[in-house]
DNA sequence: ATGTCTATTGCAACTAAGTTGCAAAGTGGA
DNA sequence: TCCACTTTGCAACTTAGTTGCAATAGACAT
């Protein structure tokens, strides 16, 4: 077993997620890929694993703070690995960037939100902050 | 013909959108409703108008700066009437707020974005900035 | 009024993301 | 080994949004 596999199993145990075959494979792929991904990306990478299993696996990962979701407006929910700085569920408030040409989605370093004029008695619990434009590769 | 109808026709002519029966009805509904809405909302309100027509109508409105879209993560694209302050297509960078309980989506007053550390050679063209939590009505 | 041209609308079929119920397979403990 | 519980695969389904095409309506010239 490679050190990568051990690493991944460790990550899963740390979050009390039982390290099954599928979960190990998926998490390993995510770590190695390093970018935000959709379920279709996973379906392509693992054509023997059923998509319902993939959705369920990711839901489990999300509930256990291994990944967070980003709705980048492409019609497919994207997932990104949580860093140590996004452990608590209130702490996903970083911006994301989606390239309109290649469709790739990136997490941006944590930035303080400006103070936002909310209507009275509104409470913010979460956010989905997506900037769109061109990434380095596509910005001619 | 009510003054509201004239108003709506005027709005359409102003943007060089031919004021057809469907467009007048839909735009009037939007103005009177005053909140962000989905195509399902429209389907409910106008059960005789085909959904493909509604989608196309909204696409036309969007292309002519009558509405802008918000992907609030509920799985349905929302639309909101453009105000005078969001005429230019680069100027939709205001935050939106979605109530996680009632699902209602609101435009927030325009707020400057913080300066965001982008990777080198990235360019921002658009944004989709959604805060989520509880609105006044649902915040017990 | 009549005919013509173009844009809009309705219809039906389709695509694709995501969900769900259920049975089969796997895993771990007594 | 046996039992209980969890995970996985399968198939069917739901729902948002799209597309091609034919029918219709509106504008305008004759």
């Amino acid at each position: 077993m490679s050190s990568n596999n051990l690493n991944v199993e460790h990550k899963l145990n740390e979050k009390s997620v039982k390290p099954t075959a599928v979960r190990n494979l998926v998490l390993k792929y995510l770590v190695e890929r390093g970018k935000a991904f959709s379920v279709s990306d996973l379906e392509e990478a693992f054509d023997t694993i059923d998509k319902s299993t993939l959705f369920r696996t990711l839901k489990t990962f999300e509930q256990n703070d291994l990944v967070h979701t980003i709705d980048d407006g492409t019609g497919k929910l994207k997932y990104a690995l949580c860093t140590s700085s996004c452990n608590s569920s209130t702490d996903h408030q970083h911006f994301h960037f989606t390239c309109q040409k290649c469709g790739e989605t990136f997490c941006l370093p944590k930035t303080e939100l400006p103070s936002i004029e909310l209507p009275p008695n509104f409470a913010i619990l979460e956010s989905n902050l997506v900037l769109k434009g061109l990434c380095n590769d596509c910005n001619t």
Side-chain angles (χ1 to χ4, degrees), chain A:
Chain A
M1 186 179 274
S2 81
S3 73
N4 234 332
N5 284 0
L6 287 174
N7 206 347
V8 152
E9 289 216 19
H10 176 68
K11 258 179 140 67
L12 288 170
N13 282 321
E14 211 173 38
K15 303 284 185 177
S16 313
V17 177
K18 202 190 289 181
T20 64
V22 170
R23 291 177 183 160
N24 284 340
L25 274 174
V26 171
L27 186 53
K28 189 174 163 219
Y29 170 84
L30 306 190
V31 170
E32 284 169 1
R33 190 168 191 276
K35 283 187 278 195
F37 56 93
S38 63
V39 171
S40 333
D41 294 332
L42 289 175
E43 280 190 86
E44 251 177 69
F46 303 106
D47 56 356
T48 61
I49 304 180
D50 190 77
K51 65 174 177 160
S52 66
T53 302
L54 293 173
F55 277 108
R56 288 190 274 229
T57 300
L58 289 171
K59 192 173 283 177
T60 304
F61 283 5
E62 194 194 353
Q63 285 165 347
N64 292 279
D65 291 320
L66 280 157
V67 301
H68 60 269
T69 56
I70 313 147
D71 189 333
D72 61 8
T74 57
K76 300 179 193 178
L77 201 55
K78 295 276 175 69
Y79 299 81
L81 274 184
C82 288
T83 62
S84 54
S85 81
C86 60
N87 280 330
S88 99
S89 55
T90 55
D91 207 32
H92 293 311
Q93 280 177 10
H94 55 273
F95 286 82
H96 296 95
F97 183 94
T98 299
C99 179
Q100 292 174 314
K101 200 163 166 194
C102 67
E104 212 65 68
T105 291
F106 308 83
C107 291
L108 300 180
K110 188 162 170 49
T111 308
E112 276 314 310
L113 278 184
S115 73
I116 290 171
E117 274 183 62
L118 281 182
N121 201 33
F122 276 48
I124 298 177
L125 298 172
E126 276 183 58
S127 63
N128 186 57
L129 308 169
V130 181
L131 301 168
K132 302 181 190 186
L134 297 171
C135 73
N136 179 44
D137 290 350
C138 300
N139 194 0
T140 52

